[in-house]
Amino acid sequence: MTKQYGILAYPAKHSLSSAVQNAAFSYLKIDAQFGVFEIQENDVAAFMERVKNDPISGLSVSSPYKEVIMNYIDEVDEDAKKIGAVNTVVNRGGVLCGYNTDFIGATKALADAFGNLKNKKFVIIGAGGAARAVVYGILKEGGIVEIYNRTSGKANGLADYFGKMFGVNIISGDLKDMLSVTGDALIQTTSIWITEPGSVVEDLFPRDFVKNFKVVMDIVHKPLITPVLAAAKEYGIQIISCDKMFLYQAFEQFKLWTGKEPPREVMGETLKKSLV
Ligand code: ATR
């Protein structure tokens, strides 16, 4: 019987996962299909029953369900637990297991630019769910982070939480506190381009602030070249767009669901076509 997988999100229409995972299934001749589950919040509990019993073999979980989904999971892996978010569900014979592959995607994308992240300094903008995975991944690889957010209390809370977890002191504060800071990479993790389309770099910081960094990364894929990345390009600074992080996390999801090595090139080519 054809195994069912899919993306759980709301809205889910922008998801890149379907094309990429279906291309991988098809290339490896795996009898499986990756669909789209656009589920409203009130229907999540019933949907997760369906996942268990139907069964649906695996889920990619996206906004706004990465945290709430943990209430419906039987076993949450250690990294996901520490991050406080699950983006991947594997149904093992009716036992739902939750993982987080976002932090691996983020660190692998950064490793392409830096090799080793150890002792490199990463300045994070944003303190939401997406930031949590990025911060955790960098700290796990021995990197140094500073966290700045529109609401400084949230940045300080995250700094405190991960600082205690890793036994380090994490500097944090308001976006205005960030302006004299320098580092190896600046990482934009806020949802500003999605929640407030038409926003510009200056809504976050003065345009030439990007010059304080060797590399600038944005983890939002719509648009792929975000205003922050466009500013970095303008100054000739190396950029990392979200497709890299997406692809690396998708490889990890594929491995978790199938136990097989992902066909990286096929998945990469499919993603490229989907982003045109
Ligand atoms: P996600 O899962 O995408 O991280 P989230 O948990 O809702 O989403 O977090 C959104 C992040 O984007 C927060 O850091 C938020 O800042 P606040 O804590 O001040 O709300 C940030 N964000 C959203 N819109 C923003 C804007 N217009 N300017 C600056 N930061 C913004």
Side-chain angles (χ1 to χ4, degrees):
M1 207 174 72
T2 306
K3 282 191 170 178
Q4 302 296 324
Y5 296 84
I7 172 100
L8 166 65
Y10 192 90
K13 299 273 191 294
H14 299 310
S15 165
L16 299 167
S17 296
S18 296
V20 169
Q21 299 295 352
N22 277 324
F25 289 149
S26 162
Y27 183 77
L28 292 183
K29 299 190 168 52
I30 296 170
D31 187 11
Q33 191 178 308
F34 195 98
V36 174
F37 302 112
E38 190 171 65
I39 306 291
Q40 300 221 14
E41 204 168 334
N42 286 341
D43 300 327
V44 169
F47 173 72
M48 292 309 289
E49 278 303 303
R50 185 179 146 201
V51 170
K52 222 172 215 196
N53 301 321
D54 226 4
I56 292 169
S57 302
L59 292 174
S60 176
V61 183
S62 196
S63 181
Y65 297 129
K66 289 185 186 186
E67 283 111 23
V68 79
I69 198 72
M70 294 174 85
N71 300 328
Y72 304 99
I73 300 291
D74 302 304
E75 288 170 16
V76 179
D77 128 287
E78 206 52 41
D79 292 313
K81 220 181 270 172
K82 286 180 176 165
I83 293 165
V86 158
N87 80 324
T88 310
V89 177
V90 183
N91 185 349
R92 297 205 168 92
V95 179
L96 300 185
C97 305
Y99 300 87
N100 190 303
T101 68
D102 286 332
F103 82 94
I104 303 174
T107 48
K108 289 213 162 151
L110 287 167
D112 277 351
F114 291 103
N116 199 331
L117 306 194
K118 203 165 165 53
N119 295 329
K120 300 277 185 325
K121 181 170 154 191
F122 301 92
V123 174
I124 316 288
I125 303 180
R132 297 176 74 88
V134 174
V135 168
Y136 177 78
I138 292 171
L139 291 172
K140 200 172 176 194
E141 294 297 318
I144 300 159
V145 297
E146 291 192 14
I147 309 170
Y148 298 93
N149 192 43
R150 176 176 62 179
T151 312
S152 60
K154 260 170 95 177
N156 298 342
L158 217 62
D160 192 46
Y161 174 77
F162 285 114
K164 281 195 181 115
M165 186 182 292
F166 286 91
V168 292
N169 181 39
I170 298 176
I171 296 172
S172 61
D174 189 88
L175 291 177
K176 288 191 280 301
D177 302 330
M178 164 182 91
L179 300 181
S180 58
V181 170
T182 60
D184 290 291
L186 177 69
I187 307 178
Q188 198 304 114
T189 75
T190 81
S191 52
I192 184 170
W193 320 127
I194 297 164
T195 51
E196 286 151 66
S199 295
V200 292
V201 177
E202 288 79 2
D203 291 320
L204 295 172
F205 51 74
R207 201 170 189 77
D208 65 356
F209 173 63
V210 293
K211 290 198 314 197
N212 294 7
F213 301 90
K214 296 182 191 125
V215 172
V216 174
M217 174 170 168
D218 200 317
I219 70 161
V220 172
H221 77 258
K222 220 171 159 46
L224 187 62
I225 302 300
T226 65
V228 162
L229 294 183
K233 266 180 117 169
E234 223 174 86
Y235 289 106
I237 294 160
Q238 186 183 345
I239 63 164
I240 305 175
S241 51
C242 180
D243 46 341
K244 269 207 165 177
M245 173 173 166
F246 173 82
L247 203 56
Y248 281 126
Q249 72 76 30
F251 293 159
E252 298 303 313
Q253 292 189 312
F254 186 85
K255 279 196 256 180
L256 283 167
W257 291 325
T258 65
K260 294 185 195 316
E261 274 305 307
R264 291 163 205 265
E265 226 165 273
V266 170
M267 292 169 82
E269 283 305 312
T270 308
L271 178 64
K272 230 184 244 169
K273 281 185 213 140
S274 310
L275 287 167
V276 173

